């Protein structure tokens, strides 16, 4: 009886050797980082530009007790003087006032005041087989969790505190972002394994 499929052990041996070398040289870790960086960029665009959670829902608006902003102290800083003048007389929450005085928008909730939360999100190699997206410090991780919880509480008609359970997922890859990571990872790994 004839062979159903011919098989060349040297081809398989070369592929196995290529995979082994890729692991030893850190090429797989590089591919993982490259793929996750794609997901990280897409996630940050969704969070900080589109202001949406993993389900595509908007973060909403700033909530809290509003009060009229009175006359603010004079300043020699021309930029700050313009900001102060624009804020005076407006009905704002405490946090909206803080944002407005720093030149930030106050209409819709976004998660960027100074950019430190965004800058703390990083892609890290755990080992030659794994890479993760996480926060570079505990303070940013706590702020992120607090924001997820606050948005959950507001959506559920509860006070906008950062305490509670069942947080809305924001700082996770959504389905589309995961698909992009998988696609990018496949392309990069296939490139590594391509015969030379």
């Amino acid at each position: 009886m004839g062979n159903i499929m011919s098989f060349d052990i040297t081809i398989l041996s070369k592929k196995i050797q290529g995979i082994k070398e890729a692991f030893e040289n850190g090429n797989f870790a590089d591919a993982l980082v490259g793929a996750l960086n794609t997901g990280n960029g897409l996630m940050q665009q969704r969070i900080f530009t589109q202001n949406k959670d993993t389900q595509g829902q908007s973060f909403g608006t700033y909530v809290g007790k509003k009060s009229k902003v009175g006359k603010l102290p004079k300043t020699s800083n021309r930029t700050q003087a313009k900001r102060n003048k624009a804020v005076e007389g407006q009905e704002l929450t405490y946090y909206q006032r803080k944002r407005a005085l720093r030149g930030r928008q106050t209409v819709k909730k976004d998660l960027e005041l100074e950019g430190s939360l965004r800058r703390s999100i990083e892609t890290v190699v755990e080992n030659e087989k794994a890479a993760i997206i996480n926060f570079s410090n505990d303070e940013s991780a706590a702020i992120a969790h607090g924001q997820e919880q606050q948005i959950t509480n507001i959506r559920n008609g509860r006070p906008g505190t950062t305490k509670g359970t069942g947080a809305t997922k924001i700082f996770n890859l959504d389905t589309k972002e995961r698909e992009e990571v998988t696609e990018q990872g496949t392309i990069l790994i296939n490139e590594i394994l391509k015969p030379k």
Side-chain angles (χ1 to χ4, degrees):
M1 186 171 206
N3 288 340
I4 295 174
M5 182 173 95
S6 64
F7 185 77
D8 185 348
I9 193 74
T10 57
I11 293 172
L12 179 60
S13 178
K14 285 181 182 178
K15 282 226 183 237
I16 291 171
Q17 185 61 35
I19 292 170
K20 184 179 174 194
E21 286 174 14
F23 271 113
E24 290 170 356
N25 297 337
N27 291 341
F28 273 116
D30 291 346
L32 291 171
V33 169
L36 273 181
N37 278 337
T38 298
N40 190 346
L42 292 170
M43 179 183 75
Q44 288 192 39
Q45 181 179 20
R46 171 180 47 79
I47 294 168
F48 298 108
T49 304
Q50 300 169 355
N51 305 311
K52 293 184 178 181
D53 65 20
T54 58
Q55 301 301 310
Q57 291 186 322
S58 167
F59 299 152
T61 59
Y62 290 101
V63 298
K65 183 180 177 193
K66 292 186 177 188
S67 60
K68 190 173 186 174
V69 178
K71 189 86 170 143
L72 295 167
K74 291 212 181 270
T75 178
S76 60
N77 181 310
R78 290 170 59 191
T79 301
Q80 192 59 54
K82 287 179 185 178
R83 290 175 184 164
N84 289 357
K85 186 173 180 165
V87 171
E88 288 176 355
Q90 287 192 41
E91 292 280 331
L92 300 173
T93 68
Y94 167 80
Y95 194 68
Q96 282 177 310
R97 176 183 168 164
K98 180 177 178 177
R99 288 179 60 81
L101 291 174
R102 292 186 182 191
R104 305 296 297 177
Q105 65 84 25
T106 59
V107 178
K108 61 183 179 175
K109 183 172 180 71
D110 72 28
L111 303 183
E112 191 157 29
L113 180 62
E114 296 173 346
S116 58
L117 186 62
R118 178 195 295 254
R119 286 190 304 275
S120 72
I121 300 171
E122 61 185 9
T123 305
V124 179
V125 176
E126 285 193 316
N127 58 49
E128 68 277 352
K129 299 176 190 173
I132 59 169
I133 298 172
N134 69 358
F135 290 97
S136 61
N137 61 70
D138 292 340
E139 181 183 0
S140 292
I143 290 169
H145 177 71
Q147 288 298 317
E148 290 176 330
Q149 192 57 56
Q150 183 183 58
I151 290 169
T152 300
N153 289 340
I154 292 167
R155 287 179 180 170
N156 292 325
R158 297 188 301 252
T161 67
T162 58
K163 295 180 177 30
T165 59
T168 298
K169 296 296 180 206
I170 296 171
F171 295 91
N172 296 74
L173 297 179
D174 68 16
T175 303
K176 182 179 154 203
E177 293 156 358
R178 285 179 187 276
E179 289 170 357
E180 284 290 329
V181 167
T182 301
E183 183 178 322
Q184 186 69 30
T186 302
I187 290 168
L188 292 171
I189 289 171
N190 284 337
E191 196 62 35
I192 290 168
L193 299 176
K194 192 182 286 183
K196 291 171 173 70

